[in-house]
Amino acid sequence: MMLEIRGLTKHFGGIQAVDGVDLHLGEGDLVGLIGPNGSGKTTVFNLVTGIYRPDSGSMALGGENLVGIPPHRINRLGIARTFQNIRLFRNLTVMDNVRIAHHSHLEYGPLAALCRTGRFYNGENELHEKVEIYLSIFNLQNRKYEIAGNLSYGDQRKLEIARALASEPRVLLLDEPAAGMNPYEVGRLMEFILSIRERFRISILLIEHQMRLVMGICERLAVMDFGQVIARGIPAEIRENRKVIEAYLGEDISIE
Amino acid sequence: MRLLRSLVKTVAAYALLAGSISFLAGAGFVNPYWVQILMLACIVAISAQGLNIIYGFTGLFSLGHAAFYGIGAYTAAYLMKTYGGQSQAAFLAALLAGGGASAAVAYLIGLPTLRLTSDYLGIATLGFGIIMKVVFDNADSFLPELGGARGMTGIAKMTTIPWVIFFLIVSLLVVRNTIHSRYGRAILSVREDEIAAETMGIDTFQYKMVGFVTGCAFAGVAGGLYAHLYTFLHPSNFDFFKSIDILIIVVLGGLGNMSGTLVVSFGWIFLLEGLRVFLPPGYVELRWVLIPVLLIVTMLLRPQGIFGAHEFPFLRGKGAR
């Protein structure tokens, strides 16, 4: 088991944002986390990445505890994410965004950087090659000197995924990767997601509202409502699930 | 090989700059008064480069920069006066000790305050600056040599053109080489988005500390050079308004722009002194009207600072545009 979450709970004041959530992500899994707005999906991401501390419950990555570990350490353990409201380093170049994410995998020390020794140049050259790889996956290699904030919305979303990959995660959390994309771009994004899973052998957990993407590529789904997981299963089962339909559309409505 | 070549280039640039200015001054081509102003400009440039690291690159709003400048000045002056005499080696050690003292205090101040967000950090450093002014005013009560509110006298005149040029070049190299490395990029990511930086594996608290402590160390070294240039220290040289001066330089030069900070440091000092000469007697205090006007006009026309994103070639990174 790659990522294992048990009984995860978090409340903000009187609101139970996440209420006893269990989630399991195996090696190479592609799992979708869906649910109405405000059902606690993003809070789960914020808990897993250490931005919030859970009230109770356990989280482990490959057997290693994640509760109470600061976010940068969790990233180094192998979890990277993107954000629902894009959080790029907006005033830096596309290339720098990706280079920063690779920071903890570089080996040269402060003295090598200050004196610009051979070690520094070797490290930076290797980094440059890696950046090319990550950017070319998303067809961004020709825009590496552009300021990230000037990219189109779709490209910013792609750059966020490229940046997350550059931190060499084992588990990738995507928070609404298709938000604001047109149908053509969503199709491309689905291919990207499938190809990076193959290429980097990572497990992916994604939050998404676009059912075409969720139903199209996710192998398993978990549905959240009011902080709890109300259903789980393969996409075909979820589509028919009574509780899920009620969560999205309300009760006492007959569906043909 | 590359290291050797850049070392040779740097030393050559240093020798040329320091040699030619020293020659011009020594042969009497340049009035000693202006030589002193030139040295002051270099010192201010070092201190401003420090604040540029703190505010421009790391994004930490600090209003207490002059206090760290003062800590460096008093530390270096005290050590030199009590133990150093006239020795050049002792002077170097005293300057580094001044920088070290500022860095150490910055570390202690940073431990609680760097967890605050930018605006609150501004208030905290403002408070610290005011406390340090009071400490300098009453310093004679624990160390009589520091002079307290009467000022500290009897400091040896050690600061020379080769010394200020040396430290200016070193400070520029340190900033350039740090910023264009993984450490510099980590510092920039903290300024851009702390949460994103944390989730990408950057220990943001650590890099805030690195930026703050390094910037304050620059101020400390600059303070030591200042003390041994004017041979007299007074607490009013390190009050809140001196922090604002440096802040104005960094903002005018463009936050996070090394070239702009460098040019504006010189422009600022020479403008202040130049106006003293060129304004008719009796109107000299109009400087304090002209400079704010200039500041307002610049901010209206070039809010990104006079240099924007442009850097001098020798301050660019490897493989940058």
Side-chain angles (χ1 to χ4, degrees):
Chain A
M1 201 55 63
M2 206 70 230
L3 181 65
E4 190 152 23
I5 299 169
R6 278 183 201 282
L8 198 63
T9 301
K10 176 77 187 172
H11 71 91
F12 298 107
I15 295 166
Q16 199 69 37
V18 173
D19 189 2
V21 165
D22 293 342
L23 272 176
H24 307 282
L25 200 61
E27 194 125 18
D29 276 2
L30 179 42
V31 175
L33 187 58
I34 64 173
N37 286 324
S39 59
K41 307 180 296 294
T42 298
T43 307
V44 169
F45 273 24
N46 286 337
L47 289 167
V48 172
T49 51
I51 293 173
Y52 301 148
R53 203 193 159 104
D55 298 332
S56 64
S58 69
M59 311 183 292
L61 180 75
E64 204 150 350
N65 168 49
L66 298 176
V67 177
I69 309 284
H72 64 270
R73 296 257 309 280
I74 289 185
N75 174 264
R76 289 176 201 175
L77 287 173
I79 298 181
R81 69 173 291 183
T82 65
F83 294 87
Q84 188 177 355
N85 47 343
I86 303 173
R87 278 182 174 268
L88 287 170
F89 306 123
R90 295 183 58 83
N91 299 310
L92 304 183
T93 61
V94 168
M95 180 160 79
D96 278 344
N97 268 273
V98 178
R99 292 203 285 190
I100 286 165
H102 203 66
H103 171 83
S104 32
H105 300 281
L106 287 174
E107 306 213 312
Y108 64 80
L111 210 60
L114 273 185
C115 305
R116 294 204 167 171
T117 59
R119 230 175 129 75
F120 164 79
Y121 283 104
N122 291 341
E124 288 288 302
N125 288 338
E126 272 172 44
L127 176 61
H128 198 264
E129 283 164 27
K130 284 205 173 136
V131 169
E132 291 280 334
I133 293 172
Y134 291 118
L135 288 179
S136 61
I137 294 171
F138 296 93
N139 285 321
L140 289 168
Q141 71 273 33
N142 296 324
R143 324 196 60 174
K144 54 176 183 262
Y145 298 120
E146 274 182 53
I147 300 297
N150 296 344
L151 292 181
S152 72
Y153 191 75
D155 281 346
Q156 292 194 16
R157 287 233 170 261
K158 288 188 211 160
L159 177 57
E160 245 204 336
I161 302 177
R163 182 180 68 176
L165 280 177
S167 70
E168 298 191 350
R170 290 185 282 167
V171 172
L172 181 60
L173 310 180
L174 301 174
D175 198 346
E176 298 198 25
M181 286 188 176
N182 64 38
Y184 170 74
E185 285 177 317
V186 172
R188 293 296 305 275
L189 181 68
M190 287 162 69
E191 290 167 28
F192 282 137
I193 292 174
L194 288 173
S195 78
I196 58 175
R197 175 175 67 153
E198 290 307 313
R199 184 160 178 182
F200 299 100
R201 291 199 206 92
I202 49 176
S203 317
I204 298 176
L205 178 62
L206 65 88
I207 295 176
E208 190 47 73
H209 285 297
Q210 297 222 21
M211 284 306 142
R212 180 174 148 229
L213 185 143
V214 173
M215 297 295 169
I217 62 173
C218 292
E219 290 144 358
R220 286 189 295 122
L221 295 178
V223 188
M224 284 185 72
D225 194 27
F226 292 109
Q228 294 177 326
V229 175
I230 55 166
R232 45 182 103 229
I234 62 169
E237 291 168 3
I238 295 296
R239 214 190 302 257
E240 307 296 326
N241 189 300
R242 188 87 218 153
K243 274 190 181 160
V244 175
I245 295 167
E246 277 174 8
Y248 271 97
L249 301 175
E251 290 167 47
D252 298 319
I253 291 175
S254 60
I255 304 278
E256 295 303 299
Chain B
M1 236 13 252
R2 204 153 14 181
L3 182 62
L4 198 66
R5 210 176 332 135
S6 62
L7 195 66
V8 168
K9 255 198 279 184
T10 312
V11 171
Y14 167 69
L16 193 70
L17 258 177
S20 57
I21 298 172
S22 298
F23 171 75
L24 286 175
F29 288 113
V30 187
N31 177 331
Y33 172 71
W34 287 107
V35 174
Q36 189 161 14
I37 297 304
L38 179 73
M39 286 197 265
L40 178 63
C42 291
I43 291 168
V44 167
I46 296 166
S47 173
Q49 214 58 254
L51 187 63
N52 194 25
I53 302 176
I54 297 171
Y55 187 32
F57 290 115
T58 323
L60 303 169
F61 187 52
S62 168
L63 286 171
H65 206 59
F68 294 101
Y69 189 58
I71 291 170
Y74 276 102
T75 308
Y78 175 76
L79 289 175
M80 206 53 196
K81 197 173 163 184
T82 6
Y83 308 106
Q86 300 279 328
S87 145
Q88 295 291 327
F91 181 49
L92 178 64
L95 289 175
L96 296 179
S102 291
V105 175
Y107 180 78
L108 294 177
I109 295 297
L111 279 179
T113 58
L114 290 184
R115 298 186 194 274
L116 303 175
T117 51
S118 196
D119 299 347
Y120 300 101
L121 180 71
I123 303 294
T125 49
L126 170 66
F128 171 71
I130 291 168
I131 291 170
M132 281 317 294
K133 168 75 163 57
V134 174
V135 171
F136 295 145
D137 273 333
N138 298 289
D140 52 340
S141 58
F142 55 89
L143 274 178
E145 291 90 338
L146 298 186
R150 282 171 286 116
M152 180 174 182
T153 52
I155 305 166
K157 185 159 174 94
M158 299 298 293
T159 303
T160 55
I161 286 168
W163 275 121
V164 291
I165 303 270
F166 171 74
F167 277 104
L168 181 60
I169 289 181
V170 168
S171 70
L172 287 172
L173 283 181
V174 168
V175 181
R176 183 196 72 179
N177 289 2
T178 310
I179 287 307
H180 297 292
S181 76
R182 72 195 190 99
Y183 301 101
R185 289 190 297 263
I187 280 174
L188 289 171
S189 77
V190 173
R191 177 192 75 187
E192 290 294 308
D193 190 323
E194 265 188 59
I195 289 182
E198 269 284 332
T199 53
M200 290 299 122
I202 309 288
D203 185 345
T204 53
F205 180 73
Q206 182 192 340
Y207 282 101
K208 280 199 255 184
M209 190 62 101
V210 168
F212 190 57
V213 168
T214 314
C216 290
F218 278 35
V221 171
L225 286 166
Y226 173 84
H228 295 87
L229 176 63
Y230 286 96
T231 69
F232 174 70
L233 291 178
H234 191 269
S236 66
N237 293 327
F238 309 108
D239 65 7
F240 171 65
F241 296 102
K242 293 295 184 288
S243 294
I244 296 294
D245 282 357
I246 305 290
L247 189 65
I248 289 173
I249 290 172
V250 172
V251 171
L252 276 181
L255 288 172
N257 186 289
M258 295 169 244
S259 316
T261 303
L262 182 64
V263 169
V264 175
S265 300
F266 281 81
W268 175 262
I269 295 298
F270 276 92
L271 191 68
L272 272 184
E273 293 304 320
L275 286 177
R276 201 203 288 272
V277 174
F278 294 116
L279 284 178
Y283 290 91
V284 170
E285 291 314 307
L286 270 182
R287 293 189 294 170
W288 302 112
V289 177
L290 286 174
I291 285 168
V293 168
L294 189 75
L295 182 65
I296 293 168
V297 171
T298 319
M299 283 299 100
L300 285 175
L301 298 179
R302 292 220 26 115
Q304 71 277 45
I306 57 162
F307 269 64
H310 189 78
E311 291 278 8
F312 290 135
F314 64 94
L315 290 175
R316 284 181 207 152
K318 180 184 88 95
R321 273 166 297 179

